[in-house]
Amino acid sequence: MPRTILIADDDPHIRQLLVFALAKAGLDTVEVEDGEAALAAAETHLPDLIVLDINMPRMDGIEVCRRLRSQSDVPILFLSSRDDEIDRVLGIELGADDYVTKPFSPREVVARVMAILRRVASCPPAVTHAAGSLRHGCLALDAEGWQASWSGQPVSLTVTEFSILRTLATMPSKVFSRDVIIDRLHGPGFAITDRTIDSHIRNLRGKFARLGANDVIETRAGIGYRLGACGAG
């Protein structure tokens, strides 16, 4: 089936260029002109990837990325101006997959989109080796149902967040480096940064903290992360 790309940019000329270029590559497109419309379109059309401009009216791309990452692992490619370096870095930390700087070649955008789609297709979440349930203190993970709970209360996690937590829970005493976590999620050589893992860890901690759980994941400075006591004392 054709894959759908959501293009969110307030410049109609840029949207037109990308629609044309992506269509030539055999991809379907949906286009919107502001951040709020991008969130609505992502929920309605369930795109395979989102091309997201940083500077948009009604809601900027950084906030759109933040909200998407709270509930979805849809790949995100940022479009940014040359003076948006800080926002660009923040976007990557929030979990964006790549970025292209304006002005850009439509061919470059298509190449990056196709590369991300290939990575996603070749690295589906691994579930066969972690069937069943994992429990540690107040934390329970249903690996087959992709469900997490804390003292019986469900916690809504994205696929990546659940996969990170499951990785830590399989060996609660082990400290996992960021590189090892990336390898467990996507396989060796997957091109994401340590900061992306840090961002997912922050999101995980924030979701559990809202339930009063502040000891889910421990940081070992200079090494990585391991599962915390999880209320077990």
Side-chain angles (χ1 to χ4, degrees), residues 40-145:
E43 183 175 352
T44 301
H45 297 281
L46 300 177
D48 297 283
L49 182 145
I50 300 176
V51 178
L52 185 62
D53 185 31
I54 287 181
N55 293 315
M56 289 188 295
R58 300 183 68 185
M59 185 183 298
D60 65 27
I62 296 295
E63 181 60 23
V64 173
C65 180
R66 192 191 312 275
R67 296 193 185 193
L68 286 170
R69 279 294 170 263
S70 70
Q71 58 189 3
S72 169
D73 285 307
V74 60
I76 295 173
L77 173 67
F78 266 127
L79 301 179
S80 67
S81 301
R82 292 193 183 276
D83 58 354
D84 284 337
E85 182 176 0
I86 293 176
D87 286 342
R88 212 159 50 227
V89 171
L90 179 57
I92 295 298
E93 290 181 350
L94 287 172
D97 296 84
D98 203 350
Y99 69 86
V100 174
T101 302
K102 297 178 182 179
F104 56 78
S105 160
R107 182 176 297 178
E108 178 187 5
V109 174
V110 171
R112 289 179 181 266
V113 165
M114 297 304 292
I116 294 170
L117 291 175
R118 283 194 299 270
R119 289 202 303 263
V120 171
S122 64
C123 300
V127 298
T128 56
H129 70 283
S133 297
L134 294 169
R135 293 184 178 276
H136 184 74
C138 298
L139 174 68
L141 300 177
D142 176 2
E144 293 182 341

Side-chain angles (χ1 to χ4, degrees), residues 73 97 119-126 159-160 163-164 167 178-193 196-197 200:
D73 285 307
D97 296 84
R119 289 202 303 263
V120 171
S122 64
C123 300
V159 171
T160 297
S163 298
I164 290 173
T167 295
R178 293 167 179 83
D179 287 341
V180 169
I181 292 173
I182 292 171
D183 289 349
R184 292 292 183 93
L185 296 180
H186 301 292
F190 194 78
I192 64 175
T193 66
T196 301
I197 296 299
H200 288 305

Side-chain angles (χ1 to χ4, degrees), residues 11-41:
D11 187 329
H13 176 64
I14 288 178
R15 296 201 308 272
Q16 184 179 20
L17 282 176
L18 293 178
V19 166
F20 180 76
L22 292 167
K24 286 185 64 177
L27 299 168
D28 292 338
T29 55
V30 175
E31 53 178 305
V32 296
E33 62 183 12
D34 63 66
E36 290 185 359
L39 285 177

